[in-house]
Amino acid sequence: MNILSDSMMKTLKLTENELATIKAVLYTHIQQMKREKQNGANVDDLLEQYEQAFEALNFAK
């Protein structure tokens, strides 16, 4: 599942602080999902979505 489909893309204006906050929260959730996956939880789809969102934010200007 790709959460970044063209039909869902939106343009937002964020301050550097807001962008950093969003990235920090996503990073925290990614780490939590990785720990849960190690413990046997089925979080592959959610982990992929978080990672895709994090990568998309790397292109933010």
Side-chain angles (χ1 to χ4, degrees), residues 12-56:
L12 300 172
K13 290 187 178 185
L14 302 171
T15 66
E16 288 293 324
N17 191 36
E18 290 167 330
L19 180 59
T21 300
I22 292 169
K23 287 181 77 173
V25 169
L26 271 173
Y27 181 80
T28 300
H29 283 290
I30 289 168
Q31 297 308 309
Q32 180 64 34
M33 291 299 104
K34 286 181 178 180
R35 285 190 292 276
E36 289 185 24
K37 184 176 179 176
Q38 286 179 332
N39 292 332
N42 184 9
V43 295
D44 291 335
D45 289 340
L46 188 55
L47 179 58
E48 182 180 344
Q49 289 176 21
Y50 285 160
E51 288 174 336
Q52 287 176 355
F54 187 83
E55 287 299 316

